[in-house]
């Protein structure tokens, strides 16, 4: 079946990612490896939106709310516990629980798609202003100062069970890549399951799914919560990557960027938004080194170009081209075969008459 | 006529939009194994009545009972979960998925992976959709999309089937095949079919319920209704 082939594709891409993970520390500069961890965090965020928007059809404009909550929850939990393993779990759970509660009211209240986008964006902006106002010694959770505008420190990862055995940046990179690859495989698997196919069906036509006796609210809540958990995990690696969490994780800029990654990479694929995250991050970094052109202007232009010229995104457009070419080649091959056979075929037809 | 148990009943069912009563205190009974057509001029309330049965509208008054379950005001998926197959007036299909996948999603709701695959194959054969099996439904012709939707209804193996204008926009030939299919579905399920096309109704129906101004005006065979002067006045008069 086609789905089995889709999942095999996921595994092939994952294998390539493993290869990249092994090669990168040898070929890339140390500094690049350090920054890569935070980009991997962002890529996991992009992947989470690829799942819920690209497959679930839920345009969540505030995916950063869960991303930021994950980042803050990790920083606070790790500071208090004194170890990173449990803190990662807490971060993922906090993001998922928050999404489950928010999603319950949105989906069971039958809020329409447009309002969902508005509500999620508003939620992330509320979190943004809320956390910015937490400067001062009175705002602390356990040992962790929230730090308002300046944010709070995020402890690095450590070997599970031994809080004093901190990981080196290189090893953190391995862990982050492992997380990205595993979550990618998980998502690739989920979209081929019955649950995943129903989510895609709901994206296509919610009324029909309901008339086929599927409780669409439950499915949407499910994929929304899963996406939020993944975004929370992305937040963890982002925080670890820059050793700090600031309110900007909830900001409007970050929300918009996440949408751009998915548009550029392509809705309906998982790898597209991941690659787009890396590409646009490094483009932004490169643009930041020059003063001639404004970075946001360029990003805006890229978005406009994609929406107008490549509305499906890079990966779906490329696979579309490949499929058309394959089809054409098959057609030509069949024509050639027919042409070779035609003389004999004509005689047979003549005899039959 | 065989009269088994009652499978669907409405009591005093009303649906008001502001001051307009689109459905006005309707008492309706469908017996087991029956194939009932609902007809009436535009605005007679048959589609609103239909939507009250399927849960797409919440009736303002009265009750809908499907095999002893009170369903008025329930969600569509709860009604469908009773084993009711529903096809709406506007084709509702999964446009971005293949015909095969559309039908698989319907079958998979009720059966395990293996059985669902077999059922999907059988349904595709039954509806003669083999040629378009892997085509994306959004690219299919109107008639074929209607059949894919019927395929989804059939694949779930319902015991009660509600169809709103299944032959709308079909060619003459397609209409004939749809009528055949409906008779075949009727062998295992009671049915309500809302329809405009008189010829089509003659092909499939035994009993016809005529709606007028939100109420049931007559319930009889198609021949009797078309012979009735009042019905002709209402129905054909409005159509002309």
């Amino acid at each position: 079946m086609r789905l089995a082939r889709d999942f095999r594709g996921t595994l092939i891409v994952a294998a390539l990612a493993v290869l990249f993970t092994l090669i990168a520390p040898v070929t890339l500069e140390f500094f690049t490896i350090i920054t890569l961890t935070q980009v991997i965090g962002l890529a996991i965020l992009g992947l989470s939106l690829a799942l819920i928007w690209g497959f679930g059809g839920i345009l969540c404009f505030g995916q950063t709310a869960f991303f930021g909550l994950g980042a803050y929850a990790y920083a606070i939990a790790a500071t208090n516990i004194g170890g990173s393993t449990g803190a990662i779990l807490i971060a993922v759970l906090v993001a998922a629980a928050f999404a489950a509660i928010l999603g319950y009211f949105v989906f069971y209240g039958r809020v329409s798609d447009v309002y969902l986008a508005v509500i999620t964006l508003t939620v992330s902006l509320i979190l943004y202003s809320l956390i910015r106002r937490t400067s001062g010694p009175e705002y602390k959770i356990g040992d962790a100062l929230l730090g308002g505008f300046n944010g709070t420190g995020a402890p690095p990862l450590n070997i599970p069970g031994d809080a004093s055995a901190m990981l080196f940046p290189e090893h953190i990179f391995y862990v982050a890549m492992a997380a990205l690859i595993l979550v990618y495989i998980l998502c690739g698997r989920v979209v081929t399951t019955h649950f995943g196919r129903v989510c895609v069906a709901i994206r296509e036509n919610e009324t029909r799914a309901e008339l086929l006796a599927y409780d669409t609210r439950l499915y949407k809540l499910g994929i929304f919560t899963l996406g939020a958990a993944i975004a929370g995990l992305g937040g963890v690696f982002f925080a670890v990557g820059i050793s700090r969490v600031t309110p900007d994780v909830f900001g409007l800029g970050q929300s918009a960027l996440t949408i751009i990654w998915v548009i550029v990479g392509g809705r309906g694929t998982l790898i597209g938004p991941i690659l787009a995250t890396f590409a646009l991050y490094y483009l932004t970094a490169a643009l930041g080194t020059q003063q001639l052109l404004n970075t946001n202007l360029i990003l805006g232009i890229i978005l406009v170009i994609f929406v107008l010229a490549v509305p499906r995104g890079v990966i779906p457009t490329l696979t579309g081209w490949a499929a058309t070419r394959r089809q054409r080649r098959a057609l030509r091959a069949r024509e050639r075969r027919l042409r070779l056979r035609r003389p004999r075929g004509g005689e047979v037809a003549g005899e039959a008459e | 006529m065989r009269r088994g148990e009652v499978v669907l009943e409405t009591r005093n069912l009303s649906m008001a939009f502001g001051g307009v009563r689109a459905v006005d205190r309707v008492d309706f009974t469908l017996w087991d194994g029956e194939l009932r057509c609902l007809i009436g001029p535009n605005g007679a309330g048959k589609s609103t009545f239909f939507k009250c049965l399927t849960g797409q509208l919440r009736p303002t008054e009265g009750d809908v009972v499907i095999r002893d379950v009170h369903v008025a005001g329930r969600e569509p998926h709860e009604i469908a979960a009773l084993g009711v197959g529903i096809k709406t007036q506007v084709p509702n299909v999964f446009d971005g998925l293949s015909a095969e996948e559309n039908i698989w999603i319907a079958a998979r709701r009720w059966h395990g992976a293996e059985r669902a695959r077999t059922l999907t194959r059988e349904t595709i054969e039954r509806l003669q959709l083999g040629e378009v099996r892997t085509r994306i439904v959004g690219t299919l012709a109107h008639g074929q999309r209607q059949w894919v939707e019927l395929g989804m209804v059939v694949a779930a193996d319902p015991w009660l089937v509600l169809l709103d204008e299944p032959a709308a926009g079909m060619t003459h030939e397609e209409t004939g095949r749809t009528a055949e299919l409906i008779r075949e579905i009727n062998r295992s399920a009671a049915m309500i079919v809302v329809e405009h096309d008189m010829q089509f109704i003659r092909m499939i129906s035994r009993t016809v319920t005529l709606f007028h101004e939100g109420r049931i005006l007559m319930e009889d065979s198609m021949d009797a209704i078309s012979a009735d002067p009042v019905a002709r006045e209402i129905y054909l008069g409005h159509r002309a």
Side-chain angles (χ1 to χ4, degrees):
Chain A
M1 265 194 73
R2 203 172 56 83
L3 290 177
R5 207 173 65 214
D6 284 356
F7 186 57
R8 220 172 303 137
T10 304
L11 291 181
I12 291 168
V13 173
L16 291 175
V18 171
L19 208 65
F20 167 77
T21 313
L22 296 176
I23 297 170
V26 187
T27 52
L28 297 175
E29 282 174 52
F30 186 62
F31 178 73
T32 313
I33 293 296
I34 294 176
T35 48
L36 260 175
T37 301
Q38 81 190 60
V39 190
I40 292 164
L42 293 171
I44 295 176
L45 170 63
L47 175 60
S48 75
L49 191 65
L51 179 72
I52 72 160
W53 186 23
F55 288 86
I58 303 165
L59 173 52
C60 176
F61 221 105
Q63 194 67 3
T64 47
F66 316 122
F67 177 74
L69 276 174
Y72 268 99
Y74 168 79
I76 293 162
T79 310
N80 281 305
I81 301 170
S84 61
T85 317
I88 294 175
L89 198 68
I90 288 170
V92 171
L93 287 179
V94 165
F98 184 76
I101 294 165
L102 179 67
Y104 174 79
F105 288 107
V106 169
F107 298 125
Y108 281 73
R110 297 255 181 229
V111 173
S112 73
D113 295 347
V114 179
Y115 284 102
L116 182 127
V118 175
I119 288 171
T120 48
L121 179 63
T122 312
V123 165
S124 74
L125 292 181
I126 288 172
L127 288 171
Y128 177 66
S129 354
L130 212 63
I131 205 82
R132 270 171 63 115
R133 280 177 177 71
T134 57
S135 37
E138 67 273 28
Y139 292 105
K140 60 193 289 187
I141 298 176
D143 297 332
L145 269 177
L146 290 177
F149 187 73
N150 294 319
T152 185
L157 299 178
N158 58 262
I159 292 168
D162 184 2
S164 60
M166 303 284 195
L167 294 183
F168 291 110
E170 243 174 69
H171 299 141
I172 291 178
F173 165 75
Y174 285 135
V175 175
M177 271 312 279
L180 174 62
I181 292 167
L182 288 177
V183 173
Y184 172 68
I185 292 174
L186 173 79
C187 290
R189 183 74 213 156
V190 164
V191 298
T192 60
T193 58
H194 180 210
F195 169 79
R197 296 328 287 173
V198 173
C199 288
V200 171
I202 292 169
R203 175 193 76 189
E204 291 297 319
N205 191 330
E206 186 163 356
T207 306
R208 180 30 77 197
E210 271 178 0
L211 295 177
L212 293 177
Y214 289 107
D215 187 350
T216 58
R217 303 168 299 184
L218 192 64
Y219 282 86
K220 284 165 100 172
L221 183 60
I223 199 160
F224 185 68
T225 307
L226 177 63
I230 294 168
L233 184 68
V236 171
F237 287 104
F238 184 75
V240 169
I242 56 175
S243 334
R244 198 158 191 85
V245 194
T246 63
D248 288 337
V249 288
F250 294 114
L252 184 59
Q254 190 56 60
S255 298
L257 262 179
T258 316
I259 303 273
I260 294 176
W261 296 332
V262 179
I263 288 175
V264 170
R267 269 159 294 163
T269 83
L270 294 169
I271 189 65
I274 294 176
L275 295 177
T277 308
F278 281 97
L280 288 181
Y281 181 88
Y282 280 98
L283 180 70
T284 312
L287 288 171
T289 58
Q290 50 88 46
Q291 255 109 54
L292 200 62
L293 294 163
N294 180 290
T295 311
N296 285 330
L297 188 70
I298 302 286
L299 283 178
I301 290 170
I302 289 176
L303 178 66
V304 170
I305 290 173
F306 267 87
V307 168
L308 291 178
V310 203
R312 290 160 69 203
V314 172
I315 299 292
T317 306
L318 287 180
T319 47
W321 274 345
T324 329
R325 277 192 50 172
R326 242 199 329 271
Q327 253 169 21
R328 263 197 223 130
R329 212 176 310 143
L331 210 67
R332 270 204 302 273
R334 208 170 62 193
E335 267 172 23
R336 261 201 306 279
R337 273 202 306 276
L338 282 176
R339 218 174 296 140
L340 285 176
R341 262 188 230 151
R342 196 171 291 151
R344 243 188 301 159
E347 274 169 39
V348 173
E351 277 171 16
E353 274 170 23
Chain B
M1 190 179 296
R2 187 167 67 93
R3 290 241 145 154
E5 58 175 321
V6 172
V7 289
L8 184 147
E9 196 177 8
T10 73
R11 292 181 205 132
N12 203 25
L13 188 74
S14 296
M15 181 73 215
F17 297 105
V20 184
R21 273 176 174 256
V23 173
D24 194 5
R25 284 161 290 187
V26 170
D27 294 312
F28 174 90
T29 309
L30 183 78
W31 304 85
D32 196 16
E34 211 180 336
L35 196 172
R36 181 78 65 91
C37 285
L38 305 187
I39 64 168
N42 285 327
K46 53 193 192 312
S47 274
T48 307
F49 177 74
F50 183 89
K51 282 181 180 157
C52 289
L53 303 183
T54 59
Q56 288 167 291
L57 285 176
R58 186 180 289 259
T60 35
E61 245 178 273
D63 207 354
V64 180
V65 183
I66 296 177
R67 263 204 189 155
D68 302 331
V69 183
H70 295 261
V71 299
R74 296 280 190 94
E75 298 285 336
H77 73 86
E78 291 177 293
I79 293 171
L82 297 171
V84 182
I86 300 161
K87 185 196 169 309
T88 51
Q89 192 174 353
V90 188
N92 267 309
V93 286
F94 304 124
D95 268 331
L97 307 180
S98 67
E100 188 179 33
E101 213 169 2
N102 268 266
I103 291 165
W104 179 81
I105 283 170
R108 186 69 178 83
R109 169 64 177 80
W110 304 96
H111 303 281
E114 203 58 44
R115 178 93 188 93
R117 256 203 297 279
T118 319
L119 255 174
T120 305
R121 211 176 318 118
E122 286 170 5
T123 307
I124 283 170
E125 256 168 56
R126 195 170 158 189
L127 279 115
Q128 301 168 29
L129 288 168
E131 270 174 46
V132 297
R133 190 173 61 89
T134 55
R135 289 265 303 277
I136 298 296
V137 172
T139 66
L140 296 181
H142 178 75
Q144 288 171 320
R145 291 174 73 220
Q146 297 266 50
W147 282 328
V148 169
E149 195 174 9
L150 276 176
M152 282 195 269
V153 172
V154 173
D157 197 18
W159 56 267
L160 173 63
V161 174
L162 312 175
L163 307 177
D164 197 353
E165 301 201 14
M170 283 188 172
T171 63
H172 189 69
E173 198 182 320
E174 287 172 333
T175 306
R177 233 180 86 194
T178 306
E180 210 173 287
L181 188 71
I182 286 175
R183 279 198 300 265
E184 194 200 316
I185 297 172
N186 184 226
R187 265 181 240 143
S188 57
M191 292 181 91
I192 296 177
V193 180
V194 176
E195 197 38 80
H196 260 310
D197 187 337
M198 289 303 192
Q199 245 183 325
F200 181 68
I201 292 167
R202 278 180 208 283
M203 282 191 247
I204 58 172
S205 81
R206 288 189 293 261
T207 315
V208 174
T209 300
L210 175 62
F211 270 74
H212 181 56
E213 292 177 346
R215 295 182 192 203
I216 293 177
L217 190 79
M218 289 182 78
E219 229 165 48
D220 213 323
S221 73
M222 193 60 220
D223 289 334
I225 285 184
S226 26
D228 187 275
V230 181
R232 283 172 70 100
E233 164 68 24
I234 288 167
Y235 199 65
L236 304 170
H238 271 257
R239 283 203 109 192

Coordinates of all heavy atoms in Angstrom, one line a residue, chain A residues 1-10 55 188-194 196-197 200, chain B residues 101 104 117:
Chain A
M1 N 0.8 -1.2 0.0 CA 0.0 0.0 0.0 C 0.9 1.3 0.0 O 2.0 1.2 0.4 CB -0.9 0.0 1.2 CG -2.3 -0.6 0.9 SD -3.6 -0.3 2.1 CE -4.0 1.4 2.0
R2 N 0.2 2.4 -0.4 CA 0.9 3.6 -0.5 C 1.5 4.1 0.8 O 2.6 4.7 0.9 CB 0.0 4.6 -1.1 CG 0.7 5.8 -1.8 CD -0.4 6.6 -2.5 NE -1.4 7.1 -1.6 CZ -1.2 8.1 -0.8 NH1 -0.1 8.8 -0.8 NH2 -2.2 8.5 0.1
L3 N 0.7 3.9 1.9 CA 1.1 4.4 3.2 C 2.4 3.7 3.6 O 3.2 4.4 4.2 CB 0.0 4.1 4.2 CG -1.3 4.9 4.0 CD1 -2.3 4.5 5.0 CD2 -1.0 6.4 4.1
A4 N 2.5 2.4 3.4 CA 3.7 1.7 3.7 C 4.9 2.3 3.0 O 6.0 2.5 3.6 CB 3.6 0.2 3.4
R5 N 4.7 2.7 1.8 CA 5.8 3.4 1.0 C 6.1 4.7 1.6 O 7.3 5.1 1.7 CB 5.4 3.5 -0.4 CG 6.5 3.5 -1.4 CD 6.0 3.5 -2.8 NE 5.3 4.7 -3.2 CZ 4.3 4.7 -4.0 NH1 3.9 3.6 -4.6 NH2 3.7 5.8 -4.3
D6 N 5.1 5.5 2.0 CA 5.3 6.8 2.6 C 6.2 6.6 3.9 O 7.1 7.4 4.1 CB 3.9 7.4 3.1 CG 3.2 8.0 1.9 OD1 3.8 7.9 0.8 OD2 2.1 8.4 2.0
F7 N 5.9 5.6 4.7 CA 6.6 5.5 5.9 C 8.0 5.0 5.6 O 9.0 5.4 6.3 CB 5.9 4.5 6.8 CG 6.6 4.4 8.2 CD1 6.8 5.5 9.0 CD2 7.1 3.2 8.7 CE1 7.4 5.5 10.2 CE2 7.7 3.1 9.9 CZ 7.9 4.3 10.7
R8 N 8.2 4.2 4.5 CA 9.6 3.8 4.1 C 10.4 5.1 3.7 O 11.5 5.2 4.1 CB 9.5 2.8 3.0 CG 10.5 1.7 3.1 CD 10.3 0.7 2.1 NE 9.0 0.1 2.1 CZ 8.3 -0.2 1.0 NH1 8.8 0.1 -0.2 NH2 7.1 -0.7 1.1
G9 N 9.7 6.0 3.1 CA 10.3 7.3 2.7 C 10.8 8.0 4.0 O 11.9 8.6 4.0
T10 N 10.0 8.0 5.0 CA 10.3 8.7 6.3 C 11.6 8.0 6.8 O 12.5 8.7 7.3 CB 9.1 8.5 7.3 OG1 8.0 9.0 6.7 CG2 9.4 9.2 8.6
F55 N -1.1 18.3 8.3 CA -1.9 17.0 8.3 C -3.2 17.2 9.0 O -4.2 16.6 8.6 CB -1.1 15.9 8.9 CG 0.0 15.4 7.9 CD1 1.3 16.1 8.0 CD2 -0.2 14.4 7.0 CE1 2.3 15.7 7.1 CE2 0.9 14.0 6.2 CZ 2.1 14.7 6.2
G188 N 6.0 10.6 11.3 CA 5.8 9.9 10.0 C 5.0 8.7 10.2 O 4.2 8.3 9.3
R189 N 5.1 8.0 11.4 CA 4.4 6.8 11.7 C 2.9 7.2 11.9 O 2.0 6.6 11.4 CB 5.0 6.2 12.9 CG 4.3 4.9 13.3 CD 4.7 3.7 12.4 NE 3.6 2.8 12.3 CZ 3.3 2.0 11.3 NH1 4.1 2.0 10.2 NH2 2.3 1.2 11.3
V190 N 2.7 8.3 12.7 CA 1.4 8.7 13.2 C 0.5 9.0 11.9 O -0.7 8.6 11.9 CB 1.4 9.9 14.1 CG1 0.1 10.6 14.2 CG2 1.9 9.5 15.5
V191 N 1.1 9.7 11.0 CA 0.2 10.1 9.8 C -0.2 8.9 8.9 O -1.0 9.0 8.1 CB 0.8 11.2 9.0 CG1 1.0 12.4 9.8 CG2 2.1 10.8 8.3
T192 N 0.5 7.7 9.1 CA 0.1 6.6 8.4 C -0.9 5.7 9.1 O -1.4 4.7 8.6 CB 1.3 5.7 7.9 OG1 2.0 5.3 9.1 CG2 2.2 6.5 7.0
T193 N -1.1 6.0 10.4 CA -2.0 5.1 11.2 C -3.5 5.5 10.9 O -3.7 6.5 10.2 CB -1.8 5.3 12.7 OG1 -2.0 6.7 13.0 CG2 -0.4 4.9 13.1
H194 N -4.4 4.7 11.4 CA -5.8 5.0 11.3 C -6.1 6.4 11.9 O -6.7 7.2 11.2 CB -6.6 4.0 12.0 CG -8.1 4.2 12.0 ND1 -9.0 3.8 12.9 CD2 -8.8 4.8 11.0 CE1 -10.2 4.1 12.6 NE2 -10.1 4.7 11.5
G196 N -4.1 9.0 12.2 CA -3.5 10.0 11.3 C -4.3 10.2 10.1 O -4.5 11.3 9.6
R197 N -4.8 9.1 9.5 CA -5.6 9.2 8.2 C -6.9 9.9 8.5 O -7.4 10.6 7.7 CB -5.8 7.8 7.6 CG -4.6 7.1 7.1 CD -3.5 7.9 6.6 NE -3.8 8.5 5.3 CZ -3.0 9.4 4.7 NH1 -1.9 9.8 5.4 NH2 -3.3 9.9 3.6
V200 N -6.3 13.5 8.6 CA -6.2 14.1 7.3 C -7.5 14.2 6.6 O -7.9 15.2 6.0 CB -5.2 13.2 6.4 CG1 -5.3 13.6 4.9 CG2 -3.8 13.2 6.9
Chain B
E101 N -9.0 5.6 -0.7 CA -8.8 6.0 0.7 C -10.0 6.6 1.3 O -10.3 6.3 2.5 CB -7.7 7.1 0.7 CG -6.9 7.0 2.0 CD -5.6 7.8 1.9 OE1 -5.3 8.5 0.9 OE2 -4.9 7.8 2.9
W104 N -11.9 3.6 2.3 CA -11.3 2.9 3.4 C -11.5 3.6 4.7 O -11.8 2.9 5.7 CB -9.7 2.9 3.1 CG -8.9 2.2 4.2 CD1 -8.7 0.9 4.3 CD2 -8.2 2.9 5.3 NE1 -7.9 0.6 5.4 CE2 -7.6 1.8 6.0 CE3 -8.1 4.2 5.7 CZ2 -6.9 2.1 7.2 CZ3 -7.3 4.4 6.8 CH2 -6.7 3.4 7.5
R117 N -9.7 -3.4 4.5 CA -9.1 -3.4 3.2 C -10.0 -4.3 2.3 O -10.3 -3.9 1.1 CB -7.7 -4.0 3.3 CG -6.7 -3.0 3.2 CD -5.3 -3.6 2.7 NE -4.8 -4.5 3.6 CZ -4.1 -4.2 4.7 NH1 -3.9 -3.0 5.0 NH2 -3.7 -5.1 5.5

